[in-house]
Amino acid sequence: MKTNMPAEVFFERLTQWPKTIIFFGLLLIITTGSFIPTLQKDTRSDAFMPPDHPALIYRDKVEEIFGLKDPMVIAVVNEGEHGIFNPQSLALVAWLSLELEEITNIDPDRITSLATENDVIGTEYGLLVEPFFEETPTTQQAADAIRIAVMDFPLFVGSIAARDGNATLIVAELDDQTAAQTTYQALLELVERAPKGAGDSIHVAGEGAVSGYMGAYIDADARRLNPIAALVITLVLLIAFRTLRGALLPNLVVLGTVASALGLMAAFGIPFFVITNALPVVLIGIAVADSIHIMSQYYEELAQHPEASSRQLAIQAMVKMWRPVTLTTLTTMAGFFGLSIASIMPPMEYFGIFAMIGVAVAWLYSMTVVPAFLTLLKPKRSKAFVSTVQADKFAQVMTCLGHVVIKRPRLVLAIGAMIIIGGMVGASKLELNEARITIFQEDEAIVQADSAINSHLDGAHYLDIVIETPQVEDLFKPEHLQRIEALQNYVITLPHVNGSTSIVDYLKQMNRALNSDNKAAYQLPDNAEVVAQQFLLYSASGDPSDFEKEVDYDYRLANVRVRLDTGLYSVGKSVTEAVEHYLAKNFNGSDINVNLSGRVNIDYHWIKSLGDSHFYSVAISLLLVMAMAALSMRSAIAGLITVVPVAVSVLLIYAVMGFSNIWLAIGTSMFAAIAIGLGVDFSVHTIERLQVLIKKEGRTIDEAITALYPSTGRALLFNFAALTLGFGVLTTSEVVPLTRFGALVAVAVTSSFIASMTILPALIKVLKPRFIGFESSAPIKEKE
């Protein structure tokens, strides 16, 4: 045909140099793949926020002032008669505290434990600051004395020592958060050789440990999942084509696609995030889609023209498939581009960008390397393709589906309308929630460690409240200290808040010590001179740096660390917003001001942005896909109809999530934009094929639908199988968000395929749009 002449000329010229094309294809794989070993991981939750986000900038400032970083936390638990206050357990705490100093990346000056902290005692000469124990107690009597001293110091009860005495924490801060994985492994080795006593158990947790453990998770997942996904898709290809070349050629496209995307990530210094673990599986599914359609057409051509040469078969297959493959590439790229520009979170932004690059590379290899190989290989027929493709069982199944659409188009559309309505209702019920610890399986050691710390102590999740005053030593003023005390009294009333620590707690303890250890004197001094004197007396016996986590050198800035027993976003949101409201109403003024920081505040901001941007990114992806389809087919109606199946599939998932109380979280928020990018392929191939059958071949709508299913429908069936089974592999991931992500995308792809094979043809049959080839002035001809 005349419209195919430029394409035919192009592929005739391309197939003149098949070995050269293959050489450059392999060279690209080798070149880009060589960068992959340099790919770096980033498992920090900070990675989900732009580096210039105000909350991150302020947190970094707070870290610089107070030295507060996400720590590794070691919990020693003993539920025996004396709890951890027995000679063996206290010796273990001392041993661990000392050994931690030797581990690379742990700041030896920022280790906090019963073995490093000091008691404050009043004497006739003033204050005496001394360690709770300098030498490990050898008798239970000595251990009991330590227990009494610790439990008589409210600052440490709940924060370092459990209120029931059955657990204690050792908090170790890191020099470099990006090296958390190796540090975490070093801590596990330390725990393994620790001299535990009877009844002692040791747990390693904390935000630093989560980041470290996640790095190991990513490595293990990638090594296991990617080969399985490749194997599953290869089996799908073998079933589809029943030839070795039919299975291996698409895998070459996969290799080029994955190597290019991941290699370019490494080359540009873009780190590998936890959600990027799904990228290879996404790319594998995308890369085989184009090849499936090309190989299907190739075997159809071979079945119909067995006398044709290899080159002729390759050219004719490409002439017929270049347009739909190119259209699906453009629409899929538009979907991923929408994800990248709509998300403010770097991991999702980069996911969209490099998925888009992978789609482009898959198209390039499908347009060049695949026909080059087919030109060189001797024609070999597939048992799945005979002169009439209807004889194939898979084609027969698809043909039966086509008959349903022809006979009951309005029923099909009614079911689709019900799904859309249900999806809208389900979307309104979606709950935004997340907790970093839920990334791991419930039986993992780090989950059990987090549970142990949150159940025995005040919690391992921190909200920092930073108080700023304008003048040096302003924090000596009783009115400022009283406002901090009132703030601490307020936060303890909030759900899941079990305690807080500030300079106020030290001052109360010093005041009590200076008043003959009278418990009634556990209160703040009533004038600034006494406060200054107390700090001076402390420095005479103790180390002024003991307060560096609570107050700055000039006594102008103070930090209140609030402890929560859960990392759930819903709890963090409730506490953060309640504290903000209290501060605005009761605290902030011209002479004092407060800002929030800490892990709870950071998580609040990035998870909130996830919820804020989710529906925006979905809308942008849909609009871009619709615009690309409209431009490609030169019809606004075509663009609108193209996105109907993917919109139905996304709404169906929303319905499932909303009615099943599945959170909108990091593992579930990306599914919609990615499902749009993947699912639109089915729509485009269906519409393009119907256009050819009706506009170019002059068939009636029923004849076109009947012809659609055994050929294009069969190819789409295996395209769907490859994608669904590929994403199904993610459900075996050890990373819980990836499990949810894989399941949701698999269901969404299934829904897109079914909708494209039912709702879309039914919609075209009922509406009779002109872009398909119908004339508005002429009634549509249908089979009797």
Side-chain angles (χ1 to χ4, degrees), residues 97-399:
S97 302
L98 192 62
E99 289 293 318
L100 282 171
E101 296 180 6
E102 305 301 319
I103 293 180
T104 303
N105 196 39
I106 285 183
D107 186 344
D109 297 323
R110 305 285 293 186
I111 298 171
T112 303
S113 75
L114 291 177
T116 66
E117 295 306 286
N118 295 321
D119 193 7
V120 179
I121 304 167
T123 68
E124 57 182 312
Y125 303 105
L127 287 178
L128 176 61
V129 181
E130 62 180 13
F132 284 112
F133 60 94
E134 289 186 281
E135 295 183 1
T136 303
T138 56
T139 66
Q140 185 57 51
Q141 183 179 6
D144 289 340
I146 295 171
R147 179 183 187 129
I148 292 171
V150 172
M151 293 302 175
D152 204 32
F153 201 145
L155 179 74
F156 295 121
V157 179
S159 60
I160 292 181
R163 300 179 191 280
D164 61 5
N166 287 342
T168 186
L169 289 186
I170 304 170
V171 181
E173 296 192 8
L174 310 184
D175 292 322
D176 181 7
Q177 197 69 36
T178 61
Q181 182 175 348
T182 54
T183 308
Y184 177 71
Q185 292 299 324
L187 258 64
L188 292 183
E189 293 172 6
L190 176 66
V191 168
E192 189 66 28
R193 58 186 176 87
K196 291 183 288 188
D200 289 335
S201 62
I202 306 175
H203 306 277
V204 182
E207 182 61 27
V210 170
S211 297
Y213 198 39
M214 200 181 300
Y217 245 51
I218 288 176
D219 290 342
D221 245 28
R223 286 193 298 267
R224 188 173 57 85
L225 293 181
N226 295 339
I228 294 175
L231 178 61
V232 167
I233 289 177
T234 300
L235 291 174
V236 171
L237 293 169
L238 282 171
I239 294 170
F241 302 117
R242 303 175 201 173
T243 65
L244 196 58
R245 71 183 66 178
L248 295 183
L249 275 183
N251 271 299
L252 181 63
V253 178
V254 168
L255 191 60
T257 302
V258 175
S260 297
L262 297 187
L264 288 174
M265 280 186 71
F268 285 99
I270 306 301
F272 197 83
F273 305 99
V274 62
I275 62 172
T276 316
N277 239 21
L279 182 58
V281 176
V282 171
L283 294 176
I284 289 171
I286 290 171
V288 300
D290 294 346
S291 301
I292 286 175
H293 290 282
I294 291 171
M295 295 300 295
S296 293
Q297 189 62 45
Y298 169 82
Y299 282 117
E300 283 189 29
E301 294 291 330
L302 180 56
Q304 295 169 9
H305 307 286
E307 76 288 350
S309 67
S310 299
R311 187 181 176 198
Q312 288 173 329
L313 292 169
I315 292 171
Q316 287 307 307
M318 296 308 301
V319 164
K320 291 182 179 180
M321 293 311 302
W322 78 268
R323 187 173 183 273
V325 167
T326 301
L327 289 179
T328 56
T329 296
L330 293 174
T331 51
T332 301
M333 289 178 68
F336 284 119
F337 182 63
L339 175 66
S340 68
I341 63 173
S343 178
I344 66 170
M345 291 184 283
M348 293 186 178
E349 178 185 351
Y350 292 132
F351 195 107
I353 290 172
F354 287 98
M356 185 172 62
I357 290 172
V359 173
V361 173
W363 174 85
L364 178 64
Y365 272 76
S366 298
M367 291 292 105
T368 58
V369 176
V370 169
F373 262 110
L374 291 176
T375 299
L376 289 179
L377 296 173
K378 183 180 178 181
K380 182 179 180 181
R381 294 182 63 174
S382 166
K383 293 180 181 179
F385 294 82
V386 291
S387 57
T388 55
V389 295
Q390 286 85 347
D392 179 80
K393 290 183 179 179
F394 296 107
Q396 289 175 2
V397 170
M398 296 307 297
T399 300

Side-chain angles (χ1 to χ4, degrees), residues 558-593:
N559 184 61
V560 178
R561 172 152 280 195
V562 180
R563 298 182 295 277
L564 286 76
D565 60 15
T566 178
L568 274 175
Y569 165 75
S570 56
V571 173
K573 177 178 183 290
S574 173
V575 171
T576 300
E577 292 179 353
V579 170
E580 286 177 338
H581 177 75
Y582 175 89
L583 294 173
K585 184 178 179 181
N586 303 297
F587 201 102
N588 286 336
S590 59
D591 58 342
I592 195 167
N593 188 49

Side-chain angles (χ1 to χ4, degrees), residues 400-450:
C400 291
L401 184 60
H403 289 158
V404 173
V405 174
I406 292 172
K407 292 179 180 179
R408 299 284 187 271
R410 286 178 173 79
L411 176 60
V412 170
L413 294 180
I415 294 173
M418 291 173 61
I419 294 173
I420 291 173
I421 294 170
M424 291 179 176
V425 174
S428 68
K429 296 179 177 291
L430 283 177
E431 178 190 357
L432 176 66
N433 212 348
E434 181 66 278
R436 283 260 284 174
I437 199 66
T438 61
I439 288 173
F440 310 106
Q441 302 290 339
E442 291 184 358
D443 59 350
E444 291 288 351
I446 197 165
V447 177
Q448 295 174 358
D450 184 76

Side-chain angles (χ1 to χ4, degrees), residues 342-345 348 608-619:
S343 178
I344 66 170
M345 291 184 283
M348 293 186 178
K608 183 175 182 293
S609 70
L610 183 151
D612 293 342
S613 65
H614 173 75
F615 291 108
Y616 175 63
S617 68
V618 172

Side-chain angles (χ1 to χ4, degrees), residues 365-578:
Y365 272 76
S366 298
M367 291 292 105
T368 58
V369 176
V370 169
F373 262 110
L374 291 176
T375 299
L376 289 179
L377 296 173
K378 183 180 178 181
K380 182 179 180 181
R381 294 182 63 174
S382 166
K383 293 180 181 179
F385 294 82
V386 291
S387 57
T388 55
V389 295
Q390 286 85 347
D392 179 80
K393 290 183 179 179
F394 296 107
Q396 289 175 2
V397 170
M398 296 307 297
T399 300
C400 291
L401 184 60
H403 289 158
V404 173
V405 174
I406 292 172
K407 292 179 180 179
R408 299 284 187 271
R410 286 178 173 79
L411 176 60
V412 170
L413 294 180
I415 294 173
M418 291 173 61
I419 294 173
I420 291 173
I421 294 170
M424 291 179 176
V425 174
S428 68
K429 296 179 177 291
L430 283 177
E431 178 190 357
L432 176 66
N433 212 348
E434 181 66 278
R436 283 260 284 174
I437 199 66
T438 61
I439 288 173
F440 310 106
Q441 302 290 339
E442 291 184 358
D443 59 350
E444 291 288 351
I446 197 165
V447 177
Q448 295 174 358
D450 184 76
S451 176
I453 292 171
N454 289 323
S455 62
H456 283 94
L457 293 111
D458 286 354
H461 307 275
Y462 305 114
L463 175 67
D464 290 325
I465 307 175
V466 183
I467 293 95
E468 299 185 25
T469 59
Q471 302 295 327
V472 172
E473 296 185 351
D474 263 0
L475 288 174
F476 289 170
K477 296 179 179 178
E479 61 268 27
H480 291 339
L481 295 171
Q482 288 163 8
R483 286 161 92 171
I484 296 173
E485 182 181 34
L487 171 63
Q488 288 184 262
N489 290 336
Y490 168 73
V491 296
I492 198 66
T493 68
L494 299 175
H496 295 279
V497 174
N498 299 310
S500 66
T501 302
S502 79
I503 194 63
V504 165
D505 300 298
Y506 276 105
L507 287 169
K508 288 186 192 179
Q509 186 71 11
M510 286 189 280
N511 195 62
R512 173 182 164 181
L514 290 170
N515 284 275
S516 304
D517 206 30
N518 183 358
K519 291 186 179 182
Y522 188 75
Q523 59 186 5
L524 287 167
D526 56 7
N527 66 73
E529 289 76 14
V530 174
V531 172
Q533 184 181 26
Q534 286 185 359
F535 279 120
L536 182 63
L537 288 172
Y538 189 99
S539 64
S541 178
D543 186 347
S545 66
D546 288 346
F547 308 133
E548 63 184 358
K549 296 179 183 178
E550 287 80 24
V551 68
D552 74 331
Y553 180 79
D554 293 329
Y555 298 98
R556 189 180 69 83
L557 304 174
N559 184 61
V560 178
R561 172 152 280 195
V562 180
R563 298 182 295 277
L564 286 76
D565 60 15
T566 178
L568 274 175
Y569 165 75
S570 56
V571 173
K573 177 178 183 290
S574 173
V575 171
T576 300
E577 292 179 353

Side-chain angles (χ1 to χ4, degrees), residues 64-95:
E64 187 176 339
I65 295 170
F66 298 105
L68 297 169
K69 297 182 180 180
D70 291 329
M72 297 281 190
V73 180
I74 299 177
V76 177
V77 178
N78 189 313
E79 297 184 352
E81 179 184 356
H82 301 287
I84 54 97
F85 292 100
N86 66 78
Q88 292 78 22
S89 296
L90 291 174
L92 175 61
V93 171
W95 185 88

